[in-house]
Amino acid sequence: SQTIHQWPATLVQPVGSPLSLECTVEGTSNPNLYWYRQAAGRGLQLLFYSVGIGQISSEVPQNLSASRPQDRQFILSSKKLLLSDSGFYLCAWSVDGNSNQPQHFGDGTRLSIL
Amino acid sequence: GNSVTQMEGPVTLSEEAFLTINCTYTATGYPSLFWYVQYPGEGLQLLLKATKADDKGSNKGFEATYRKETTSFHLEKGSVQVSDSAVYFCALSERASNYQLIWGAGTKLIIKP
């Protein structure tokens, strides 16, 4: 069966520090991968998605970047965090190219910027 | 463009009450429809889905019927429990949107004992 892992679960970082959040998927090949952010009490905002290694689409301009160095690895990064980067970050995967298949989510990373 | 509209929360009910959370959508074609649930502090879990008109998705006592004539996918449960307290998200996916999920804003459900 397929599983998705995100880490760390929680992170407290000072303003201006770098960020690296990692997500890996097991049990499937060539998945679509997604990074979302959820502000406190709010809905989901799609940040990035990827349909293959090295292929990243950005949905909103921001202080963050994403990379996909391997088929089942998706990394969210920042060189300098801002206070507004605080939130709950969720990684998800789906089967490539089929609208009937749902997205499957990791447990999330709660990021607090001080 | 495509969009999903959910009823605003929070929705507060007593245990064993009947639940309806409204969801309506706009889409250019024939989307697939989903309900996700997010328990406090956790990621999202797929609750149920429907892929064509008149399909009924069901899981854990929850049901939703894909109504093309009213462009709706309302979530229902006959008797809610305290453990159903969570945030519920309605979403759609279709080819015109490159199969990206279009999300509703979420509805927070609070069940009181």
Side-chain angles (χ1 to χ4, degrees):
Chain A
S1 63
Q2 302 89 358
T3 56
I4 179 169
H5 303 281
Q6 265 188 262
W7 66 93
T10 59
L11 189 60
V12 180
Q13 291 284 97
V15 170
S17 63
L19 173 74
S20 180
L21 302 181
E22 191 161 343
C23 172
T24 59
V25 179
E26 296 176 0
T28 187
S29 296
N30 196 32
N32 288 347
L33 295 172
Y34 310 84
W35 277 111
Y36 289 89
R37 177 167 59 201
Q38 186 178 29
R42 305 289 296 276
L44 293 167
Q45 179 186 34
L46 179 63
L47 301 176
F48 302 95
Y49 70 93
S50 171
V51 298
I53 295 174
Q55 301 178 61
I56 309 294
S57 296
S58 175
E59 290 297 298
V60 292
Q62 58 206 315
N63 184 40
L64 302 168
S65 62
S67 61
R68 185 170 176 173
Q70 299 180 46
D71 181 45
R72 290 168 289 174
Q73 184 184 28
F74 205 25
I75 297 172
L76 183 69
S77 304
S78 174
K79 292 182 179 178
K80 278 188 174 184
L81 286 167
L82 306 172
L83 280 173
S84 58
D85 292 324
S86 292
F88 191 46
Y89 288 82
L90 290 158
C91 181
W93 72 272
S94 68
V95 172
D96 180 33
N98 186 332
S99 71
N100 292 337
Q101 299 302 318
Q103 292 179 14
H104 304 275
F105 286 80
D107 291 333
T109 296
R110 189 160 303 283
L111 176 64
S112 299
I113 309 300
L114 303 180
Chain B
N2 297 344
S3 66
V4 175
T5 302
Q6 286 182 240
M7 65 190 292
E8 284 193 27
V11 173
T12 303
L13 295 172
S14 298
E15 209 166 16
E16 299 184 4
F18 184 86
L19 168 71
T20 301
I21 299 179
N22 290 340
C23 171
T24 58
Y25 68 89
T26 59
T28 54
Y30 300 93
S32 295
L33 301 172
F34 307 89
W35 276 103
Y36 282 82
V37 59
Q38 184 179 31
Y39 298 104
E42 298 184 9
L44 276 71
Q45 302 174 26
L46 177 67
L47 183 59
L48 52 84
K49 69 175 185 179
T51 58
K52 60 183 187 295
D54 299 326
D55 267 3
K56 178 185 283 188
S58 61
N59 186 25
K60 299 181 181 180
F62 291 89
E63 293 183 338
T65 301
Y66 187 161
R67 302 285 188 200
K68 188 165 172 54
E69 64 276 14
T70 54
T71 62
S72 65
F73 192 53
H74 303 323
L75 183 68
E76 296 180 335
K77 186 174 185 182
S79 176
V80 292
Q81 306 300 314
V82 171
S83 57
D84 294 326
S85 298
V87 180
Y88 292 81
F89 292 92
C90 185
L92 73 80
S93 167
E94 70 163 348
R95 186 173 184 173
S97 301
N98 294 322
Y99 303 129
Q100 300 303 320
L101 279 177
I102 308 299
W103 294 90
T107 301
K108 185 173 184 177
L109 176 64
I110 300 170
I111 307 300
K112 296 187 173 180

